[in-house]
Amino acid sequence: MKHTVRAAALLAGCLFTLNLHAQKFDPPTLGWSSWNTFALNITEDVICRQADAMVSTGLARAGYKNINIDDGYWNGRDSNGQLRINTQKFPNGMRAVADYIHKLGLTAGIYSDAGDNTCGSGQKEPWGCGVGLAGYEEADCHTYFIDWDYDFIKVDFCGGNHMRLDERLQYTKISKAIAKTAKEKGKKITFNVCRWAYPGTWISDIADSWRTTGDIYDDWKSVKNIIKENLYIQAYTGGGHYNDMDMMEIGRSMNENEERTHMAYWCIASSPLLIGCDMTTLRQSSLDLLTNPHLLAMNQDKLGLGAPVVQREGEVYVVAKDMEKLQGKKRAVVVMNLSDEDKTITVDLSKLEFKGVVSVFDCFTQNRERAEESIRVFIPAHGSQAFLMEGNRTMRHLYEAEEAWLREYQEISGRPTAHPAETSQASKGAYVTSLGNSRLNYLEWKNVYVPYTGYYDVSIHYACADKRTLEISVNNKLESTLSSLTTGSDIDFNTVNVTLKLKKGMNTIRLNNPAAPAPNIDCINIR
Ligand code: GLA
């Protein structure tokens, strides 16, 4: 596998020079974190044995690298404000643990809070009160990354909440302290934000990855909820910055079908993959899943994209993304059955933008077959099938609003910014509401591909009870203003047509109404 990864990296390097759309950035973090299994019961021995296991199991060879220490290693601060370590748990200090990890060829991750106290301290235990980064941003970064030599940090927000900090200001301050220390160290430091909800598009400017939901736990219901909460925020993963769906629960109590869905969706959505089980007792089926090279290739793909829903039947979702090259021949496809019953569905290859004969590689059975028009897929309850497909592409016609990039989207404040909502009346069951009323509260499809420069008919599916205006911009230029749009209801969708000039290759199409609320948008169709 090591060789495969190297070969892929070499190949990626060659393609990089050929492919103008591909950029060079770090793929999602692959590693392990202490919290899910050990919670506050961490010690030097626990961490070092896990690092050993990452190597001896072959996980390291498959690409997993980070050994992340989560909450629970401090013992307050001394009178100079210097962090004190719990020496019963870590008798040789934190630097010794990082050194041990590094000697194994791995990288080391540490944990803190944006505010004063850690989550695990319950805001009252002296060991974890006042150990957060607030007021110590630069000093603690120096301790973590220079004195102790860690390479990764997860920054939680329990203390931030306690101090009522503004997340954007505080995480930006921390990112500057990290960047300053990284410069001094001459090495990249990976910054993971843990704010338990999508923070807003500003997060891509300051962090490598960010948690999008509350804490995962070792149960199918939790995994299913996290998947559902991530379905319509795939546009915010990109450019080397990733939605983090939380540390994984593979290798604990879920069954094989559930573990497959967990792994397949985390992989196709380009989430960091942080193993959360005890790697010293990992069963073979979970190890095989975690090291499945085809799923890891999806996750580490150099485009680093999220994977929007392309087909939906009840609780069966088909999600897909381009691999290696935007609008190229290769796509990753996962068919997930989140329902409690076995299902068989027909996956429409034209919805996956393929035409003619398609090579379909099954990531679990390793079977390859050729298909045309559609494939029948059996998916057991809670299970998934994962495919790498290759074939000639068609121009994409349908762009769903719920997969677009919403400039002001966030899940933290109650501000009524544009957001996806579900109704069976909308195409694929979802649309975008609360658009407009501000210059920035817009919706944008960033990669609208057309084969030739020219005029295209674009039909817009919209709904609004009252009369509303919609402005359409192409490549940042206002092209059309439609006024007095109404369908008499906020979820009865209707179509309005415009002609837009698009240039060969990738375009952006933006919808907004800066002066007042815009109509709800379901999707657009380009012909
Ligand atoms: C929060 C985080 C978890 C974990 C704990 C530690 O709940 O979301 O991932 O880090 O804190 O206390």
Side-chain angles (χ1 to χ4, degrees):
M1 179 61 200
K2 201 173 201 166
H3 295 115
T4 324
V5 169
R6 283 215 188 108
L10 275 177
L11 187 63
C14 299
L15 289 177
F16 176 63
T17 49
L18 299 173
N19 176 8
L20 296 178
H21 297 299
Q23 290 168 22
K24 205 174 172 334
F25 44 65
D26 291 321
T29 304
L30 297 181
W32 173 88
S33 173
S34 58
W35 182 255
N36 287 3
T37 295
F38 296 98
L40 298 174
N41 306 314
I42 45 171
T43 61
E44 173 179 321
D45 193 54
V46 162
I47 302 297
C48 294
R49 294 303 69 78
Q50 293 298 318
D52 292 340
M54 184 173 269
V55 175
S56 64
T57 52
L59 282 161
R61 223 176 317 122
Y64 292 88
K65 227 177 159 199
N66 263 62
I67 293 287
N68 289 349
I69 301 173
D70 208 283
D71 201 353
Y73 60 89
W74 299 277
N75 184 19
R77 287 186 191 269
D78 67 18
S79 52
N80 297 321
Q82 185 59 34
L83 288 168
R84 267 199 321 235
I85 297 311
N86 181 329
T87 49
Q88 279 184 340
K89 291 173 161 186
F90 292 90
N92 298 301
M94 303 314 284
R95 170 78 192 218
V97 183
D99 287 348
Y100 187 89
I101 294 169
H102 288 145
K103 275 207 191 102
L104 294 173
L106 306 174
T107 46
I110 200 81
Y111 167 94
S112 189
D113 194 283
D116 48 6
N117 309 333
T118 83
C119 292
S121 71
Q123 309 305 310
K124 56 182 190 309
E125 299 290 338
W127 61 265
C129 281
V131 297
L133 286 157
Y136 297 92
E137 292 83 359
E138 291 198 4
D140 284 1
C141 280
H142 196 275
T143 303
Y144 289 136
F145 309 121
I146 308 275
D147 298 343
W148 296 356
D149 203 20
Y150 283 76
D151 314 280
F152 170 107
I153 189 164
K154 164 177 171 179
V155 182
D156 222 329
F157 204 69
C158 286
N161 263 347
H162 176 243
M163 292 175 74
R164 295 174 192 272
L165 297 179
D166 176 291
E167 26 291 271
R168 184 173 184 169
L169 289 179
Q170 180 58 2
Y171 278 121
T172 302
K173 193 169 183 187
I174 293 166
S175 83
K176 285 188 179 148
I178 293 173
K180 189 173 167 206
T181 321
K183 201 166 167 207
E184 187 182 338
K185 189 174 179 176
K187 242 174 127 184
K188 158 121 186 139
I189 295 163
T190 305
F191 180 25
N192 173 259
V193 162
C194 180
R195 178 53 189 84
W196 328 296
Y198 181 69
T201 54
W202 54 271
I203 199 73
S204 292
D205 297 332
I206 63 155
D208 295 283
S209 58
W210 47 86
R211 281 270 299 279
T212 55
T213 63
D215 288 6
I216 195 167
Y217 50 93
D218 179 22
D219 184 60
W220 165 248
K221 224 194 248 167
S222 167
V223 169
K224 175 175 170 174
N225 282 343
I226 290 179
I227 292 173
K228 286 201 148 182
E229 284 186 57
N230 277 275
L231 287 173
Y232 304 126
I233 55 172
Q234 295 298 302
Y236 309 111
T237 274
H241 306 272
Y242 306 100
N243 290 334
D244 170 6
M245 302 200 300
D246 208 353
M247 303 160 292
M248 296 191 289
E249 297 286 9
I250 292 169
R252 304 193 73 200
S253 78
M254 270 179 277
N255 69 33
E256 270 186 53
N257 288 328
E258 294 164 346
E259 291 204 336
R260 276 188 173 194
T261 298
H262 188 351
M263 181 71 180
Y265 191 63
W266 264 239
C267 282
I268 199 168
S270 302
S271 172
L273 302 180
L274 292 171
I275 299 166
C277 67
D278 179 349
M279 293 185 289
T280 64
T281 57
L282 195 51
R283 57 179 172 261
Q284 192 62 41
S285 61
S286 301
L287 181 60
D288 291 346
L289 183 64
L290 288 166
T291 55
N292 182 309
H294 315 294
L295 295 179
L296 288 176
M298 278 185 192
N299 181 260
Q300 299 286 293
D301 178 64
K302 69 189 179 113
L303 292 182
L305 297 173
V309 177
V310 295
Q311 189 181 333
R312 177 179 175 181
E313 288 182 26
E315 284 202 296
V316 178
Y317 295 87
V318 182
V319 298
K321 69 173 182 183
D322 286 355
M323 280 178 71
E324 294 182 13
K325 185 174 181 234
L326 282 179
Q327 202 65 28
K329 290 196 161 192
K330 291 192 182 169
R331 306 208 80 195
V333 179
V334 168
V335 187
M336 301 185 281
N337 179 3
L338 303 185
S339 82
D340 298 333
E341 288 155 29
D342 296 352
K343 301 268 176 186
T344 300
I345 72 154
T346 301
V347 175
D348 183 345
L349 297 178
S350 72
K351 286 195 177 139
L352 287 164
E353 302 153 34
F354 283 117
K355 64 176 175 211
V357 177
V358 181
S359 151
V360 178
F361 177 80
D362 183 319
C363 298
F364 295 121
T365 62
Q366 326 250 335
N367 285 339
R368 190 182 293 281
E369 58 177 33
R370 288 152 73 81
E372 244 175 305
E373 288 177 16
S374 64
I375 52 170
R376 291 283 286 167
V377 180
F378 168 77
I379 334 113
H382 302 181
S384 281
Q385 303 290 2
F387 304 101
L388 296 174
M389 297 194 188
E390 201 169 337
N392 288 329
R393 298 287 294 277
T394 54
M395 179 189 137
R396 179 170 171 196
H397 299 291
L398 180 65
Y399 288 81
E400 293 286 346
E402 65 274 15
E403 71 184 59
W405 191 78
L406 307 174
R407 168 68 170 73
E408 291 290 80
Y409 182 66
Q410 49 81 34
E411 297 171 353
I412 291 177
S413 97
R415 271 184 297 130
T417 48
H419 58 273
E422 292 195 316
T423 167
S424 58
Q425 274 155 276
S427 145
K428 286 184 212 155
Y431 65 106
V432 164
T433 185
S434 302
L435 203 61
N437 214 13
S438 134
R439 194 177 57 81
L440 295 178
N441 192 25
Y442 60 78
L443 170 165
E444 187 167 84
W445 290 281
K446 288 180 176 293
N447 289 316
V448 178
Y449 171 83
V450 292
Y452 308 105
T453 299
Y455 289 92
Y456 289 82
D457 292 329
V458 178
S459 57
I460 303 169
H461 292 243
Y462 73 97
C464 46
D466 49 345
K467 285 189 181 161
R468 295 188 176 187
T469 296
L470 186 65
E471 290 186 357
I472 302 138
S473 307
V474 176
N475 301 326
N476 281 325
K477 195 166 155 268
L478 181 62
E479 292 292 346
S480 177
T481 302
L482 304 169
S483 41
S484 298
L485 295 174
T486 178
T487 60
S489 139
D490 286 336
I491 50 167
D492 283 333
F493 294 92
N494 213 333
T495 299
V496 58
N497 297 309
V498 288
T499 302
L500 296 176
K501 187 171 180 192
L502 302 173
K503 67 174 176 13
K504 179 179 173 181
M506 295 298 169
N507 297 266
T508 61
I509 296 185
R510 182 183 294 182
L511 305 183
N512 195 14
N513 178 15
N520 290 338
I521 303 294
D522 180 12
C523 57
I524 58 171
N525 224 297
I526 304 175
R527 297 274 159 191

